[in-house]
């Protein structure tokens, strides 16, 4: 039985994130987006608020919170600033969760303690020029040299590419073993042979720090491998299953943020002698937004609830991401329509949310990949997972 009634603690986290987003992020978000400026001060404050290691055990410097609190916070941040919320999602659900769940005690002491507090930022390096949806096609190699791996290759579209101190790099060690020959390695950004390409000039999440990263004969000590030899692909899949809940929460926040702005505007703006919210053409748009966004919220909360209750959540997370990202795309377009000419200019925020929405259908597995994950689970005969 799923019980979504939120505790006082969860509501306090949501309120704190809302207050932070409105007072700290909102005043500068348009300029940072326009200038593609990485948000140094804002990220520092996010770290101080404990938003970068929310679910990590306090003994490693984290907040010890549940996944429900995390998605509530992410939803509020994403209503305003998705360059900051993607950093938050990657650091929490891919990097910190990956290290905490599968890392050795030494790796946790050395890396997780700094990543959970936000002293360091992490990046998750899976995608390559020729390995996007087909993640087994890794061309980056990690050749076993005895006491270390020699890492060579290029990773593309890496979130936190330049601002991160630690990379979790997925690389092929034994091609003959296909996905079972892949390893996950912890690489420090300032090691010799690591170089960072130019920042990507993107449609949305423009302030987000997206880069290509090149690895040229980088020596990675054996103790920096996560898990057993050949565990890297499964590591990436398991970690991404949780990451998709984060991106689903981001998409929900984008849709909900656009809806809040549309509602406020439609109740104030008058045409033909009354607020436009009272014209059926606009009222029905608000009714659709309210209904479909609430449905997305239930899917997102359901996946977080399942994670918190140790239930298999891979399919639930993919369903939440698939549906919430579609609502983000659809309702941000509608929000621009509701605001009309105002919606088309930067000052009113909805055009940015519309641009930000698209990436939620692409990163951490495209919508088509989510359908693959969901349908494979159905075919296996699982009713609900
Ligand atoms: N949990 C555990 N194991 C899993 C798993 C999961 N969720 N999914 C697959 N596996 C295991 C399988 O059991 C199988 O293991 P065995 O052979 O030992 O039984 C192995 O992994 C291979 O599985 P498949 O045969 O299903 O693999 P596939 O080649 O068909 O690919 C896929 C599966 C789901 C399509 C996968 O390639 C995929 O998720 N692709 C999308 C990649 C992606 O999401 N990239 C995002 C980049 S990261 C990012 O965007 C971060 C950012 O910066 C914002």
């Amino acid at each position: 039985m799923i019980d979504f009634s939120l505790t006082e603690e969860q509501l306090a986290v949501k309120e704190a994130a809302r207050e932070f987003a409105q007072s700290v992020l909102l005043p500068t978000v348009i300029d940072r987006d326009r200038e593609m400026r990485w948000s140094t001060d804002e990220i520092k404050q996010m770290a101080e608020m404990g938003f970068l290691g929310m679910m990590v055990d306090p003994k490693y410097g984290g907040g010890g919170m549940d996944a429900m609190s995390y998605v509530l916070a992410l939803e509020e941040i994403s209503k305003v600033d998705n360059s900051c919320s993607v950093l938050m999602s990657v650091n929490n659900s891919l990097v910190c969760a990956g290290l905490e769940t599968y890392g050795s005690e030494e790796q946790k002491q050395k890396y997780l303690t700094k990543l959970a507090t936000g002293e360091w930022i992490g990046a998750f390096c899976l995608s390559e020029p020729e390995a996007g949806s087909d993640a087994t096609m890794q061309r980056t190699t990690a050749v076993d040299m005895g006491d270390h791996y020699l890492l060579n290759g290029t990773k593309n579209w890496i979130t936190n590419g330049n601002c991160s101190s630690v990379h979790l790099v997925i690389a092929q060690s034994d091609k003959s073993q296909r996905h079972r020959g892949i390893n996950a390695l912890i690489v420090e950004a300032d090691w010799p042979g690591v170089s960072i390409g130019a920042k990507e000039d993107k449609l949305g999440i423009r302030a987000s720090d997206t880069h290509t990263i090149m690895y040229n004969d980088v020596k990675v000590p054996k103790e920096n491998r996560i898990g057993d030899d050949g565990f890297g692909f499964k590591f990436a899949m398991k970690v991404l299953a949780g990451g998709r809940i984060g991106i689903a929460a981001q998409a929900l926040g984008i849709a909900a943020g656009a809806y809040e702005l549309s509602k406020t505007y439609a109740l104030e703006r008058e045409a033909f002698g009354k607020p436009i919210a009272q014209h059926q053409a606009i009222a029905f748009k608000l009714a659709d937004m309210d209904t479909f966004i609430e449905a997305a919220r239930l899917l997102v909360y359901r996946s977080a609830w399942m994670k918190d209750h140790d239930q298999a959540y891979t399919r639930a997370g993919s369903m939440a991401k698939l549906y919430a990202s579609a609502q983000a795309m659809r309702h941000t377009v509608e929000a621009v329509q509701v605001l009309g000419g105002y919606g088309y200019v930067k000052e009113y925020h909805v055009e940015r949310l519309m641009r930000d929405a698209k990436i939620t259908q692409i990163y951490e597995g495209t919508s088509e990949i989510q359908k693959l994950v969901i349908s494979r689970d159905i075919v296996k005969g699982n009713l609900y997972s």
Side-chain angles (χ1 to χ4, degrees):
M1 171 70 178
I2 297 178
D3 177 7
F4 288 147
S5 50
L6 301 176
T7 64
E8 274 183 30
E9 289 79 8
Q10 289 166 339
L11 288 169
V13 170
K14 180 178 167 67
E15 192 44 44
R18 184 175 180 85
E19 165 61 23
F20 177 81
Q22 300 293 327
S23 62
V24 177
L25 301 179
L26 189 60
T28 54
V29 66
I30 293 175
D31 287 346
R32 284 183 285 111
D33 175 76
R34 185 186 284 121
E35 295 161 16
M36 289 174 37
R37 174 157 47 91
W38 187 65
S39 319
T40 317
D41 294 341
E42 290 77 7
I43 302 298
K44 196 163 165 277
Q45 290 185 62
M46 282 177 83
E48 285 162 7
M49 291 284 292
F51 289 139
L52 299 189
M54 290 184 70
M55 294 175 288
V56 175
D57 191 321
K59 74 179 176 188
Y60 299 116
M65 290 180 213
D66 55 11
M68 187 65 91
S69 301
Y70 169 60
V71 297
L72 291 167
L74 208 40
E75 179 184 342
E76 291 303 327
I77 304 276
S78 304
K79 285 179 183 174
V80 175
D81 187 338
N82 289 287
S83 295
C84 285
S85 75
V86 69
L87 178 144
M88 181 175 162
S89 184
V90 167
N91 205 65
N92 275 281
S93 25
L94 298 181
V95 180
C96 286
L99 280 172
E100 186 167 28
T101 314
Y102 302 107
S104 67
E105 188 53 34
E106 292 71 28
Q107 291 168 352
K108 289 181 203 180
Q109 292 298 343
K110 187 167 179 189
Y111 296 109
L112 182 58
T113 48
K114 290 195 166 70
L115 290 160
T117 55
E119 183 184 340
W120 284 357
I121 302 291
F124 185 78
C125 306
L126 172 67
S127 300
E128 296 187 355
E130 290 166 84
S133 289
D134 187 357
T136 58
M137 289 298 289
Q138 297 293 308
R139 297 238 170 136
T140 296
T141 52
V143 178
D144 190 336
M145 306 296 282
D147 64 340
H148 68 272
Y149 288 99
L150 201 59
L151 183 67
N152 278 288
T154 300
K155 295 290 178 180
N156 266 28
W157 310 294
I158 301 303
T159 303
N160 308 338
N162 195 34
C163 67
S164 50
S165 304
V166 175
H167 307 163
L168 304 189
V169 183
I170 311 299
Q172 183 65 258
S173 291
D174 183 352
K175 206 167 190 302
S176 68
Q177 297 290 314
R178 201 176 160 259
H179 64 270
R180 296 197 186 98
I182 290 174
N183 279 311
L185 305 176
I186 306 168
V187 176
E188 296 184 27
D190 59 2
W191 281 351
V194 179
S195 52
I196 314 291
K199 184 167 180 166
E200 298 288 354
D201 188 353
K202 308 185 293 293
L203 171 72
I205 56 163
R206 288 176 57 74
S208 166
D209 190 44
T210 317
H211 293 258
T212 295
I213 304 184
M214 284 78 69
Y215 301 97
N216 186 14
D217 283 342
V218 180
K219 277 186 171 182
V220 184
K222 272 278 173 68
E223 63 263 25
N224 275 30
R225 187 184 72 212
I226 301 175
D228 292 336
D229 188 23
F231 178 63
F233 186 76
K234 285 200 179 169
F235 169 80
M237 292 299 107
K238 285 169 184 278
V239 168
L240 276 166
R244 288 165 184 162
I245 297 176
I247 301 303
Q250 180 185 51
L252 168 64
I254 293 172
Y259 172 44
E260 285 179 13
L261 292 165
S262 303
K263 198 167 50 176
T264 304
Y265 180 84
L267 289 168
E268 283 171 2
R269 168 78 176 185
E270 294 200 356
F272 306 103
K274 55 185 178 182
I276 60 171
Q278 290 180 25
H279 291 288
Q280 194 181 68
I282 302 299
F284 279 16
K285 286 189 197 302
L286 297 180
D288 274 350
M289 286 180 173
D290 199 55
T291 306
F292 290 99
I293 294 169
E294 190 59 20
R297 183 171 286 115
L298 292 174
L299 281 175
V300 173
Y301 289 7
R302 183 185 78 147
S303 58
W305 188 92
M306 291 173 85
K307 187 166 188 289
D308 285 334
H309 289 79
D310 293 327
Q311 297 185 13
Y313 56 82
T314 300
R315 177 161 145 197
S318 285
M319 289 168 73
K321 182 179 184 291
L322 175 66
Y323 189 79
S325 60
Q327 302 320 309
M329 203 60 245
R330 175 180 169 190
H331 296 298
T332 52
V333 171
E334 284 294 70
V336 172
Q337 194 69 16
V338 170
L339 271 75
Y342 293 105
Y344 204 66
V345 297
K346 293 196 183 301
E347 195 184 340
Y348 288 81
H349 300 288
V350 287
E351 65 82 32
R352 186 185 68 262
L353 292 172
M354 184 181 85
R355 291 186 283 104
D356 289 351
K358 186 61 203 168
I359 193 61
T360 65
Q361 295 185 304
I362 298 172
Y363 57 23
E364 300 204 22
T366 61
S367 295
E368 292 74 15
I369 289 296
Q370 306 313 322
K371 289 183 190 178
L372 192 74
V373 171
I374 296 162
S375 60
R376 283 183 180 178
D377 200 57
I378 295 168
V379 170
K380 273 187 200 161
N382 294 332
L383 284 178
Y384 195 85
S385 66

